[in-house]
Amino acid sequence: MVRTLGLTQLTMIGIGAIIGAGIFSLAAAVARDVAGPAVLISFLVAGAASLCAAFAYAEFAGMVPKAGSSYTYCAAVLGEVVGWIVGWDLLLEYTAIVAVVAIGMSGYLDFLLNAVGLHLPTWALGAPGTGSGHRIDLLAVAICLGVAWLLNRGTRTSARVETVLTVIKIAIVLLVIVVGFTKVDTQNLQPFAPFGFGGAFTGAATVFFAVFGYDALSTAAEESVEARRKLPKAMMLSLAVSMVLYVLVCVVLTGMQHYSELNPKSGISSAFQSAGLSGLANVIALGAVIGIVTVTFSFMMGASRLWYALSRDGLMPTWFGAVHPKRKVPHRATWLIGIVSAVMAGLMPINAVAELTNIGVLLAFVVVSASVLILRYRKPGLKRGFRCPGMPVVPVLGMIFSVWLMSFLAWETWVRLAGWLVVGLVIYGCYGYRRTRQVMPGGSVDLDALNEMPDSDEPEPVTTTVR
């Protein structure tokens, strides 16, 4: 693959992954069903847990400039089996995130179509069980396949589109905040925690996937310029900007409309419409559609790069990780992820997909936080472009936060995760264990060899003598 992504593009990919369905759809659903106006607390708790893990990810990104994110980091420190478990886990979670975000976007897209007089048939409006007569979320399916097509145009082209769309999204969010604060009625914020603070913590476990886009960002390490230095900066910048915007939008959303009346599919637009701002509601819906595309872009890109890393290391067949000879992207993995996410988005309700996403990501956070702690003491002299502060407290807090949030998820979610991991172990035992010995007999990552890599992460230039 080709290194084309600088700090601005990396930061925009991070913001693009973090800000999306969390603001435009999931915040309203969580506020209405489990948290009320205390959804603000849900995002703050999720953000605090995410920050602890972000420090660990940033230290690894500044030390291991390789594609694969959590899989590569954990394999380097805790061994191939743990790395495979985390990689297999995240392959499902990234794909599920694409699906849940596409579902969130389809609600706003339907809002826009209705505004111009176009109405889809009832059977195409949602997954089975989400409404009377619903059979498939047709718009969500189209979104997943469309993003797969965009990603296969090439990293440079798709990253430019991502940057432009992210700027538009930020502008729309700022518009929501500025105008929305003029319509806030403090009476709507009472009671602040109608479901108790336990509901707010349950909400934190549900919205967690909305505050960790830097994980997908780290999978682009082999397409980043000066990854050791720029990836950690991009992670911190994207999380900081996104959390400020999340908090302000939560106040606006629950202040404009009573939590019990929020629309879980098009929350912000519906709130503005209820305040007599229908024209602006349509603009916000358009911004939501544009903005949420960037999330599907970031995580589908992350999933395809993760699959590429697993295939390169022999843990999965190399056919899946093949790079297009002209566009230099893992095109087969991208199309497969697009198809699987389209099936999930079309046939599964948003809450079930969101919880499945969160438990896998939280599990990865526990392992990554433990890995950075172990490696700091095992190999303190390794070159690090960023150092996690507050050792060992911050990584330990990251693990505690993650396990605590996992405890709020439904037991069915745990069963689904366990089933997926069992399948992964079977694949590893029957294929990956033997194959990876032939492909990379020294292990997935040689930390000492990486330590000798120049800071630019580029091959040393070849000097030619002219006679």
Side-chain angles (χ1 to χ4, degrees):
M1 295 189 286
V2 181
R3 296 187 183 275
T4 60
L5 304 177
L7 179 60
T8 299
Q9 288 176 312
L10 288 169
T11 303
M12 287 301 178
I13 290 173
I15 294 174
I18 297 172
I19 296 179
I23 278 184
F24 291 110
S25 294
L26 205 57
V30 170
R32 191 190 69 166
D33 297 334
V34 299
V39 67
L40 169 66
I41 303 298
S42 299
F43 276 100
L44 287 174
V45 170
S50 185
L51 179 61
C52 292
F55 283 132
Y57 271 88
E59 176 161 327
F60 268 122
M63 185 169 46
V64 186
K66 303 282 287 182
S69 184
S70 309
Y71 149 67
T72 303
Y73 304 158
C74 297
V77 181
L78 299 178
E80 180 180 287
V81 176
V82 176
W84 162 252
I85 290 172
V86 171
W88 179 249
D89 165 47
L90 286 182
L91 192 60
L92 172 66
E93 310 320 322
Y94 284 1
T95 305
I97 289 172
V98 173
V100 75
V101 169
I103 297 169
M105 194 197 310
S106 72
Y108 279 94
L109 194 52
D110 184 55
F111 183 95
L112 277 176
L113 293 175
N114 291 336
V116 297
L118 297 176
H119 303 280
L120 291 177
T122 302
W123 61 266
L125 292 177
T130 60
S132 177
H134 289 184
R135 294 291 179 268
I136 188 171
D137 193 330
L138 191 60
L139 293 175
V141 170
I143 289 162
C144 293
L145 297 178
V147 171
W149 175 85
L150 172 63
L151 276 170
N152 272 308
R153 297 305 91 195
T155 300
R156 187 186 298 273
T157 300
S158 52
R160 285 173 178 170
V161 174
E162 161 86 355
T163 299
V164 172
L165 295 182
T166 300
V167 170
I168 294 173
K169 174 170 62 177
I170 293 173
I172 293 292
V173 172
L174 291 175
L175 178 66
V176 168
I177 293 168
V178 172
V179 177
F181 264 108
T182 67
K183 299 293 183 178
V184 168
D185 181 354
T186 55
Q187 293 300 315
N188 289 330
L189 300 174
Q190 303 297 327
F192 180 70
F195 302 94
F197 282 97
F201 297 146
T202 300
T206 303
V207 304
F208 188 79
F209 88 90
V211 294
F212 80 97
Y214 53 81
D215 185 16
L217 171 61
S218 64
T219 64
E222 291 183 34
E223 294 160 282
S224 307
V225 179
E226 297 181 346
R228 288 187 193 274
R229 291 194 291 266
K230 293 183 178 179
L231 267 179
K233 291 179 182 178
M235 289 178 181
M236 296 295 109
L237 284 171
S238 59
L239 182 59
V241 171
S242 300
M243 285 309 303
V244 170
L245 296 178
Y246 269 133
V247 168
L248 294 176
V249 168
C250 284
V251 174
V252 167
L253 180 65
T254 54
M256 288 184 66
Q257 189 174 28
H258 194 266
Y259 75 90
S260 62
E261 300 172 358
L262 290 171
N263 185 328
K265 295 193 72 177
S266 56
I268 297 176
S269 287
S270 297
F272 272 74
Q273 191 175 56
S274 72
L277 300 172
S278 297
L280 190 55
N282 293 335
V283 173
I284 292 169
L286 178 60
V289 170
I290 292 172
I292 297 176
V293 165
T294 65
V295 184
T296 59
F297 170 93
S298 296
F299 280 103
M300 193 178 291
M301 178 181 180
S304 62
R305 273 52 176 181
L306 174 60
W307 206 334
Y308 161 79
L310 292 170
S311 297
R312 177 193 60 194
D313 292 352
L315 292 166
M316 297 187 77
T318 55
W319 185 89
F320 293 113
V323 174
H324 193 280
K326 180 179 178 181
R327 300 191 178 101
K328 302 301 181 183
V329 294
H331 57 294
R332 291 171 183 163
T334 302
W335 275 119
L336 285 169
I337 290 161
I339 292 168
V340 173
S341 62
V343 172
M344 295 176 72
L347 301 178
M348 293 180 67
I350 189 169
N351 285 346
V353 185
E355 288 202 355
L356 181 60
T357 293
N358 288 333
I359 193 169
V361 172
L362 287 166
L363 174 62
F365 276 15
V366 171
V367 182
V368 170
S369 296
S371 296
V372 80
L373 185 62
I374 292 169
L375 195 60
R376 181 69 73 88
Y377 293 103
R378 183 186 293 173
K379 290 182 177 289
L382 285 178
K383 186 189 301 181
R384 290 169 167 85
F386 176 89
R387 298 180 72 86
C388 176
M391 291 290 284
V393 176
V394 170
V396 171
L397 283 177
M399 289 185 278
I400 292 173
F401 261 128
S402 298
V403 172
W404 178 58
L405 289 174
M406 290 169 72
S407 70
F408 286 95
L409 296 173
W411 67 268
E412 295 91 343
T413 305
W414 287 86
V415 172
R416 293 187 190 109
L417 175 66
W420 179 254
L421 294 181
V422 168
V423 172
L425 288 173
V426 171
I427 292 174
Y428 176 76
C430 295
Y431 178 86
Y433 176 78
R434 296 176 187 172
R435 177 62 181 163
T436 195
R437 294 297 172 281
Q438 302 169 15
V439 176
M440 297 193 73
S444 297
V445 174
D446 186 338
L447 290 173
D448 294 320
L450 284 175
N451 203 47
E452 301 302 320
M453 181 184 289
D455 288 340
S456 66
D457 305 330
E458 298 281 6
E460 293 289 352
V462 178
T463 302
T464 302
T465 302
V466 179
R467 295 183 182 273

